[in-house]
Amino acid sequence: MSTEIASTAGVPDAPAVRASRPDGKWLIGFALPVFLALAWEVAVATQIVNGRLLPTPSKVIMTLVDLANSGELLDHVLATLWRVALGFVFGVAAGTLVGAVSGYWTIVRRVIDPSLQALRNIPSIAWVPMFILWFGIFETSKVILIAVGVFFPIYLALSGAILGVDRKLVEVGRIFRFSHREMITRILLPATLPSYIIALRSGLGLGWMFVVAAEFMGAEQGLGFLLVDGQQTGRPAVILASITSFAILGKLTDWLLASVSARFLKWQDGFKPAE
Amino acid sequence: MLDISGVSKRYPNGLLALAGLNLAVAQGEIVAIVGGSGCGKSTALRLVSGLDMPSSGSVSLDGTPVTAPREEIGLVFQEPRLMPWLTIEQNVAFGIRHLPAAEQVSRVSEALARVGLDSHAGHWPRELSGGQAQRVSLARALVGRPKVLLLDEPFSALDALTRGDLQDHLLDLWAYDRPTMILVTHDIEEALFLADRIVVMQPNPGRVRTEVVPPVARPRDRLNGEFLNWKYKLLRELDHASRPPSGDESFPAAAI
Ligand SMILES: Nc1ncnc2c1ncn2[C@@H]1O[C@H](COP(=O)(O)OP(=O)(O)OP(=O)(O)O)[C@@H](O)[C@H]1O
Ligand SMILES: [Mg+2]
């Protein structure tokens, strides 16, 4: 591994290296939101519009700072992060296991895939009443709801991608008499890694979606609770503070996932768009 | 002793790729298979390797039928088929994953040195040229030191010089381990240089046209007069093999 790094480091202008070097071009992504925020700020300040129902960005930031100073924000963030993390881990584990097995063994796929496809079409929120009956109102039902949301994209992507793995590579494994387990872990999973990682990211996105639903169904803490609380106490700034936190956390965790996984995709020889 | 007897292969789409192939290869013998594109050479190697099962007939090695891939049978595919997510050395180590790590390292570097790629050990497959990738796949098959080595046009993407080098290496290796080899090639000179026996195949359906045992002593010299004589004789044979059996002259003879 280290020899590989040494050997490409000597190449000054390899496109991959250039693309990942922070050169400020990514800042351009901030232009639009900053412009909109400023425009809203000016519009409210000049009283062209009323800022009561849609508070200005500065008001939202102040609310966030207040919440942070009182320690409340951290508690909410940690509660929500913990639920998302647990649900994500369980959903990924189940989705990976079931997806790999059903992609590999036709008989398993024939048995379980139709049912899973049917279940997939139930909006997961519809499970909420059932989960509350089964698992109570507390953490278990929330984590399970999130895990269910994460499960499907992982299962679908993985079982589909395994069927798409190049037969020629699988035959190399057969020539070397790989066991079923080796075939899955040493050929099928690595070969499907690019689509798997995309599935992880969309699963994580769904995890964030479902945590809100989970926290709507009664929670004493969490960003979703903050949303409900803001609504019930008539404080739109709190709602927006919570939404902003969701945006930041969602983006941050996705970025984390993407950058960790990029390490495992160094081998890819894909299309690199021109700048 | 590798015994291919009465082997036919019909693919699921109905195409009869091989019809009654018979070939017995003695332990340590080198047999070359030549013949035009599509006459079933790769199909034959797949059957011998145990990757596919014949529709009729059987393949056996030392008396036991080959019904699945076996440790003592190595196959070099026509395409390199390297795992793109593994470095070159990891790809080569693929076939000896059960050995202790230290032994893997020494065997892999030995095999890579043999194909002239020891300096590329840490590279990714995407960073290799076609011929380099082909050599890595050869190293991957050699590293396990199989008793039977099946080679499907292993040098087709190489320049004459590298090809000559690798042919010499292959003979060195053969002198050392004495593996049985079946080598598919489009290159008559290569067949003559390496093989004890040359099997000429013909298509539609794939079968053996003739077998030639060139009485050229080893070590062979590619520029020796007798060697060149045999080369022309074989070229003529191949030209015939690629014509339709009726000898219909309206069908142009394919160039080999
Ligand atoms: N998986 C398959 N399904 C159906 N037909 C196949 C399959 N593989 C090969 N064939 C057909 O079988 C015949 C023999 O193919 P094969 O690959 O053995 O030829 P070959 O002698 O190796 O040719 P080449 O020199 O071009 O590699 C061809 O007509 C080919 O179209
Ligand atoms: Mg072939």
Side-chain angles (χ1 to χ4, degrees), chain A residues 158-231:
Chain A
L158 190 57
S159 61
I162 285 180
L163 293 177
V165 172
D166 191 354
R167 168 184 61 85
K168 296 186 167 177
L169 297 185
V170 176
E171 281 177 357
V172 175
R174 288 186 52 210
I175 277 290
F176 290 119
R177 297 173 336 286
F178 276 20
S179 63
H180 293 302
R181 214 178 62 113
E182 284 174 316
M183 201 63 112
I184 291 177
T185 58
R186 302 186 65 132
I187 295 188
L188 297 177
L189 289 184
T192 51
L193 199 60
S195 12
Y196 182 66
I197 283 170
I198 292 174
L200 284 183
R201 292 175 66 181
S202 60
L204 184 62
L206 283 175
W208 280 107
M209 231 163 97
F210 280 82
V211 77
V212 178
E215 290 178 345
F216 273 3
M217 67 196 204
E220 275 124 42
Q221 245 180 2
L223 291 170
F225 162 79
L226 205 58
L227 282 176
V228 179
D229 194 47
Q231 182 222 338

Side-chain angles (χ1 to χ4, degrees), chain B:
Chain B
M1 170 82 145
L2 181 68
D3 194 28
I4 304 170
S5 70
V7 161
S8 301
K9 176 68 184 176
R10 190 181 288 282
Y11 278 111
N13 64 2
L15 187 121
L16 187 62
L18 279 179
L21 183 70
N22 288 300
L23 188 64
V25 187
Q27 170 64 41
E29 193 184 5
I30 307 181
V31 170
I33 299 183
V34 298
S37 180
C39 69
K41 307 183 295 294
S42 298
T43 303
L45 288 198
R46 292 176 63 88
L47 297 176
V48 174
S49 72
L51 213 48
D52 276 345
M53 293 315 293
S55 315
S56 62
S58 68
V59 177
S60 68
L61 177 62
D62 299 329
T64 39
V66 177
T67 51
R70 286 214 217 157
E71 186 168 11
E72 61 265 49
I73 305 180
L75 171 63
V76 179
F77 290 95
Q78 192 164 357
E79 321 83 23
R81 303 197 182 187
L82 305 180
M83 306 296 141
W85 57 86
L86 296 180
T87 61
I88 299 315
E89 54 189 348
Q90 290 168 333
N91 262 290
V92 175
F94 219 53
I96 49 170
R97 64 199 186 288
H98 296 313
L99 296 183
E103 173 144 25
Q104 284 192 26
V105 170
S106 69
R107 284 240 212 149
V108 166
S109 58
E110 183 203 326
L112 279 177
R114 225 175 240 295
V115 298
L117 286 174
D118 30 352
S119 58
H120 288 65
H123 286 212
W124 298 110
R126 64 173 151 85
E127 297 167 327
L128 299 188
S129 71
Q132 287 170 334
Q134 220 177 19
R135 283 185 275 158
V136 174
S137 93
L138 178 65
R140 182 176 63 188
L142 294 182
V143 75
R145 299 187 187 145
K147 220 168 104 183
V148 176
L149 196 51
L150 309 171
L151 305 140
D152 200 346
E153 303 184 35
F155 308 136
S156 60
L158 301 178
D159 63 286
L161 208 66
T162 317
R163 180 188 295 225
D165 270 357
L166 281 176
Q167 288 166 355
D168 291 339
H169 273 305
L170 204 58
L171 282 184
D172 282 352
L173 193 101
W174 177 75
Y176 185 76
D177 275 347
R178 292 277 160 161
T180 307
M181 288 202 239
I182 301 184
L183 168 86
V184 169
T185 178
H186 277 274
D187 181 353
I188 296 301
E189 188 179 295
E190 180 167 291
L192 267 177
F193 184 70
L194 293 175
D196 298 313
R197 186 149 55 106
I198 299 173
V199 174
V200 181
M201 287 183 60
Q202 70 182 46
N204 302 320
R207 68 216 120 116
V208 174
R209 179 189 169 86
T210 52
E211 280 190 26
V212 183
V213 182
V216 190
R218 292 180 194 272
R220 294 173 183 167
D221 173 1
R222 296 180 185 85
L223 298 177
N224 168 296
E226 192 193 6
F227 188 93
L228 290 173
N229 262 337
W230 272 96
K231 186 171 158 183
Y232 291 121
K233 236 158 118 174
L234 266 167
L235 276 174
R236 223 170 307 129
E237 194 61 49
L238 266 175
D239 189 32
H240 285 301
S242 60
R243 283 169 210 263
S246 62
D248 179 358
E249 289 304 327
S250 67
F251 190 87
I256 299 295

Side-chain angles (χ1 to χ4, degrees), chain A:
Chain A
M1 280 287 154
S2 56
T3 42
E4 193 279 332
I5 293 165
S7 62
T8 49
V11 185
D13 250 346
V17 175
R18 195 177 17 174
S20 65
R21 193 182 296 150
D23 53 5
K25 283 192 187 126
W26 53 277
L27 279 173
I28 203 164
F30 283 104
L32 186 63
V34 166
F35 170 77
L36 288 177
L38 284 178
W40 187 245
E41 201 76 49
V42 168
V44 172
T46 56
Q47 294 188 336
I48 297 173
V49 292
N50 184 337
R52 201 177 61 80
L53 280 180
L54 183 55
T56 58
S58 57
K59 181 109 191 291
V60 173
I61 291 171
M62 264 150 52
T63 310
L64 267 176
V65 170
D66 284 348
L67 284 169
N69 281 339
S70 68
E72 230 180 305
L73 184 65
L74 188 66
D75 288 346
H76 291 309
V77 165
L78 287 182
T80 299
L81 261 181
W82 178 239
R83 286 171 189 140
V84 172
L86 273 185
F88 184 69
V89 166
F90 287 128
V92 166
T96 306
L97 191 72
V98 181
V101 167
S102 102
Y104 191 67
W105 280 286
T106 312
I107 176 69
V108 177
R109 183 172 57 257
R110 293 218 176 108
V111 170
I112 67 172
D113 191 66
S115 308
L116 284 176
Q117 297 289 350
L119 285 178
R120 180 172 78 93
N121 287 309
I122 301 172
S124 304
I125 312 291
W127 289 111
V128 167
M130 219 49 190
F131 285 175
I132 290 179
L133 277 182
W134 287 345
F135 309 111
I137 191 89
F138 299 110
E139 290 310 299
T140 315
S141 55
K142 294 184 175 54
V143 169
I144 288 179
L145 180 65
I146 297 166
V148 166
V150 173
F151 171 83
F152 283 106
I154 309 278
Y155 165 77
L156 283 178
L158 190 57
S159 61
I162 285 180
L163 293 177
V165 172
D166 191 354
R167 168 184 61 85
K168 296 186 167 177
L169 297 185
V170 176
E171 281 177 357
V172 175
R174 288 186 52 210
I175 277 290
F176 290 119
R177 297 173 336 286
F178 276 20
S179 63
H180 293 302
R181 214 178 62 113
E182 284 174 316
M183 201 63 112
I184 291 177
T185 58
R186 302 186 65 132
I187 295 188
L188 297 177
L189 289 184
T192 51
L193 199 60
S195 12
Y196 182 66
I197 283 170
I198 292 174
L200 284 183
R201 292 175 66 181
S202 60
L204 184 62
L206 283 175
W208 280 107
M209 231 163 97
F210 280 82
V211 77
V212 178
E215 290 178 345
F216 273 3
M217 67 196 204
E220 275 124 42
Q221 245 180 2
L223 291 170
F225 162 79
L226 205 58
L227 282 176
V228 179
D229 194 47
Q231 182 222 338
Q232 284 172 349
T233 56
R235 292 180 296 167
V238 170
I239 299 179
L240 283 182
S242 166
I243 289 178
T244 311
S245 311
F246 270 122
I248 293 172
L249 285 175
K251 179 70 198 158
L252 220 60
T253 48
D254 180 64
W255 171 81
L256 198 71
L257 190 57
S259 37
V260 168
S261 54
R263 292 195 44 221
F264 298 101
L265 294 180
K266 268 195 306 189
W267 52 269
Q268 261 193 316
D269 195 11
F271 166 65
K272 299 201 175 58
E275 294 249 337

